[in-house]
Amino acid sequence: MPSVNISSPINNLYRDNQFWLRGWLYSRVGCSETAADLAQDTFLRLLKTGNLPPSGESRRFLTRIAKGLMIDAYRRQKIEEAYLESLSLMPETFIPGPEIHHVIIETLAEIAVMLDNLPDNVRLTLLLRQIEGLSYADIAKQLSVSVSSVEKYVARGLAACCLALESY
C-alpha cells in the first residue's frame, strides 16, 4: 500500500484553510452544503492543476479560484432555470427524459462558457445570426459596422465553435 505524505504542501494548505474557505463561501452563497461543495471543488482544482499559492498568498489564491467556481455554479443554475422554463412551454411528448437532462444542462453550460470567451462583437454577431436569424446586412445595420465586418465576426465565431467541438 502506498504511503500518504500527510505533511505535503496541498495537505497543509487544505488543513490550514478549508474551514476558513467554507465560512467565506457560506457568507456569499448562504448555503452550507453549497459552500462545502465549492470549497472541495476549489481544492480539487488545485490538485488537478498542481498550482499552489506562493507563501503568504493562500487565502487570496483560494478566494480567486472559489470566486470562479461560484460564477460557474451561478451560470449553471441560470442555464438550468432557463432550460426548465423552456421545457414547461413544450408539449409533454417532446420533453426529454431525466437521464438526458444532465447531459443537456452540461452541454448548454459548455456552450455558454465558449460564448463568454468570445469578444463581445463576435458573440453578439454570432447570436444575432444563428439564434435570431438576422441577415448580414441587418446585423451590420444594427451594430453600425460593415457587412464585411459581420462576415468576419460570424466566421470567427463559427471557427471558435468548431474548435470547441474538436476538444470533445
Side-chain angles (χ1 to χ4, degrees):
M1 175 179 240
S3 65
V4 177
N5 181 359
I6 56 175
S7 66
S8 72
I10 189 73
N11 286 338
N12 293 338
L13 183 68
Y14 182 82
R15 185 190 65 241
D16 295 343
N17 293 286
Q18 71 89 20
F19 184 75
W20 168 83
L21 184 59
R22 284 177 43 194
W24 183 86
L25 285 162
Y26 177 76
S27 72
R28 277 138 183 90
V29 299
C31 172
S32 60
E33 291 86 9
T34 301
D37 288 345
L38 289 169
Q40 277 309 107
D41 290 346
T42 300
F43 287 102
L44 282 173
R45 174 92 34 107
L46 284 174
L47 278 173
K48 286 179 187 176
T49 63
N51 293 335
L52 293 177
S55 180
E57 298 288 322
S58 297
R59 290 190 174 178
R60 190 162 65 104
F61 194 81
L62 292 169
T63 301
R64 186 169 39 90
I65 294 169
K67 282 180 182 178
L69 292 172
M70 280 192 307
I71 291 167
D72 291 348
Y74 178 77
R75 176 186 292 131
R76 184 177 169 23
Q77 177 186 356
K78 290 299 176 192
I79 289 169
E80 188 163 6
E81 288 171 2
Y83 173 69
L84 292 174
E85 183 180 330
S86 70
L87 285 182
S88 71
L89 303 173
M90 296 177 76
E92 197 168 315
T93 56
F94 292 112
I95 297 175
E99 65 280 357
I100 305 219
H101 175 83
H102 178 73
V103 173
I104 291 172
I105 297 300
E106 286 301 314
T107 303
L108 290 171
E110 290 170 9
I111 291 168
V113 168
M114 187 273 306
L115 289 171
D116 282 348
N117 288 329
L118 293 174
D120 291 343
N121 54 358
V122 173
R123 179 179 55 254
L124 180 57
T125 302
L126 186 63
L127 291 173
L128 289 172
R129 178 71 182 146
Q130 299 301 119
I131 306 296
E132 300 295 327
L134 295 181
S135 70
Y136 285 21
D138 290 339
I139 296 169
K141 185 176 181 181
Q142 185 171 334
L143 300 180
S144 301
V145 298
S146 67
V147 172
S148 173
S149 291
V150 170
E151 290 170 349
K152 290 174 187 170
Y153 296 158
V154 169
R156 188 170 171 193
L158 291 174
C161 290
C162 288
L163 286 173
L165 285 173
E166 286 179 7
S167 69
Y168 294 109

